[in-house]
Amino acid sequence: MKTPLHLVSFALLLFLGFACNSPAAEKNTQPLAKGRQPQLSVDAAGVTRIVYGLEENIYCTTSTDNGLSFTEPELVGTIPGLLLGMSMGPQIASSANYTLVTAIDKKGNIHSFSLDHATGKWEKAAGVNDVPQVAAEGLMSIASDENDTFYALWLDVRNNKQNKIALATATGPATSWSANRIIYESPDSTVCECCKPSIVVNGEEVNLMFRNWLNGSRDFYFTTSENGGKTFTAPQKLGNETWKVDGCPMDGGGLVLDENDRVHTAWQRNGNIYHARPGNAEVAVGKGRNCRISGGTNPAITWKDGDDLKLKFLRSEAIQTIGKGNYIETIELPDKRTLCVWENDKELFFKRI
């Protein structure tokens, strides 16, 4: 007995629909846009945003379906001499009512842009640094709490042209930034001058990580504040071993809080990727560089190994190859999947895991 043609077509459509929505299909790599240095945020309403640079322009694209699809990129702003590459580029953080983007120009000035979630409009916000041209290395991170307070952290060369760890805060649409504060200054003249510092915030808890330079060693240090950044603990070295190296590793690592508010860090030492919690020994993860860590429910470490981009969830021994390229960034989505976004030859790609 022959099956009617319309039934065959219907069955095929059902199969294709199932395949396109299956977990396997979700893992397929998808092109996003031409651009460099993507950064990710998820706001309190579950909206996911990707910000990136292209020449002197900053763009943002948005997803409201857990990273399955993204809007056409929207221009955030233009900065003459925008720094891009080597972990430099626009940074993003989202809170309840606002999203903030910061970026640094080649003169060393930090610009900011604010998105009001209610209006959906990007506006130029206040400059971050209160002394001109002090962010010459172009390396910074930003974070926010749930009450529209934003924190900016960067390498700062004020006073003596040596890099220090600086912090400033803003609220709401960032029409002004606080007086800049030097959180740490190395007694050996400078912190590591080419490694991006990291910040993560939960309420009044502000956690910072940076690569130091002490006694010829370029190790990562961690410090925390319990009062919204007013005071910080004495920085403590992460991991038990040390790395004496003559030259900057140009590799900043990453910092995250899990669902139980426990700090996790990931960083590179001498070509090896490590995971460490403050006060505990480091645990080897793999070989490579340019690592990051993200995720509250199921933290994931990503890194570059040759041309391959790797991912390992802390709860799993398996290491996945996500794709090829540079500077992969991840974030945990509202549905607890992990969104991966990366750069390859000045093009951006994304994948849900």
Side-chain angles (χ1 to χ4, degrees):
M1 179 179 177
K2 294 184 178 180
T3 304
L5 183 60
H6 71 279
L7 291 180
V8 173
S9 301
F10 179 70
L12 180 60
L13 287 172
L14 281 178
F15 171 77
L16 290 174
F18 173 78
C20 290
N21 291 287
S22 68
E26 290 179 0
K27 294 182 180 181
N28 292 335
T29 298
Q30 298 185 59
L32 184 70
K34 290 187 178 296
R36 303 191 66 192
Q37 302 294 284
Q39 294 288 313
L40 319 177
S41 75
V42 175
D43 69 20
V47 178
T48 303
R49 294 180 176 87
I50 303 173
V51 67
Y52 60 91
L54 180 62
E55 297 175 345
E56 294 186 331
N57 296 321
I58 301 169
Y59 294 94
C60 182
T61 179
T62 300
S63 174
T64 56
D65 58 6
N66 289 294
L68 289 169
S69 64
F70 285 87
T71 61
E72 285 294 316
E74 180 180 8
L75 180 67
V76 173
T78 300
I79 297 178
L82 173 66
L83 285 174
L84 286 174
M86 305 302 293
S87 295
M88 296 177 288
Q91 307 294 303
I92 187 169
S94 294
S95 186
N97 300 298
Y98 295 92
T99 291
L100 200 69
V101 167
T102 60
I104 304 177
D105 64 31
K106 291 179 180 178
K107 293 181 179 180
N109 294 309
I110 308 173
H111 305 257
S112 70
F113 302 85
S114 176
L115 172 71
D116 186 328
H117 296 171
T119 65
K121 293 183 178 180
W122 287 100
E123 301 284 349
K124 185 74 168 69
V128 179
N129 51 299
D130 58 10
V131 175
Q133 303 180 8
V134 292
E137 297 294 344
L139 294 166
M140 73 176 304
S141 295
I142 61 174
S144 63
D145 65 14
E146 62 274 19
N147 296 315
D148 300 326
T149 301
F150 293 88
Y151 297 79
L153 178 75
W154 69 93
L155 299 185
D156 190 296
V157 296
R158 71 186 63 203
N159 300 330
N160 59 3
K161 299 188 183 302
Q162 302 290 348
N163 281 284
K164 312 160 195 66
I165 303 300
L167 181 74
T169 61
T171 57
T175 54
S176 65
W177 285 84
S178 69
N180 301 172
R181 294 179 51 217
I182 300 301
I183 301 301
Y184 178 81
E185 187 170 0
S186 171
D188 282 5
S189 76
T190 183
V191 298
C192 193
E193 64 273 27
C194 301
C195 293
K196 179 181 177 179
S198 298
I199 181 169
V200 64
V201 174
N202 182 22
E204 290 284 292
E205 179 187 347
V206 181
N207 301 284
L208 312 180
M209 185 183 82
F210 59 93
R211 194 187 287 274
N212 209 345
W213 187 8
L214 287 175
N215 303 316
S217 293
R218 308 256 185 163
D219 300 316
F220 275 98
Y221 279 68
F222 169 82
T223 180
T224 188
S225 169
E226 297 294 339
N227 54 16
K230 295 181 178 65
T231 60
F232 283 87
T233 59
Q236 60 173 299
K237 189 175 81 67
L238 292 165
N240 292 340
E241 302 298 323
T242 191
W243 189 15
K244 290 187 178 294
V245 56
D246 185 14
C248 183
M250 301 179 74
D251 204 337
L255 175 70
V256 78
L257 291 171
D258 68 18
E259 60 186 346
N260 296 312
D261 199 34
R262 296 176 300 188
V263 174
H264 296 267
T265 71
W267 32 269
Q268 183 255 138
R269 183 180 65 216
N270 198 24
N272 296 302
I273 307 298
Y274 294 94
H275 164 251
R277 297 196 58 233
N280 295 345
E282 62 269 54
V283 177
V285 175
K287 292 187 176 296
R289 56 181 292 111
N290 300 132
C291 63
R292 299 286 189 266
I293 186 169
S294 73
T297 304
N298 190 16
I301 298 175
T302 54
W303 68 95
K304 174 179 168 64
D305 182 6
D307 291 332
D308 292 332
L309 301 173
K310 305 286 189 177
L311 179 146
K312 180 186 181 299
F313 291 105
L314 292 186
R315 296 178 180 177
S316 170
E317 295 300 318
I319 295 176
Q320 306 179 45
T321 298
I322 301 302
K324 292 185 179 296
N326 300 282
Y327 298 103
I328 185 170
E329 297 284 347
T330 59
I331 199 165
E332 189 172 274
L333 296 162
D335 67 356
K336 308 308 178 186
R337 297 291 184 92
T338 296
L339 176 67
C340 306
V341 184
W342 65 94
E343 172 190 336
N344 188 10
D345 194 23
K346 298 183 181 180
E347 292 195 19
L348 303 179
F349 299 87
F350 71 99
K351 177 187 291 190
R352 278 169 46 100
I353 303 295

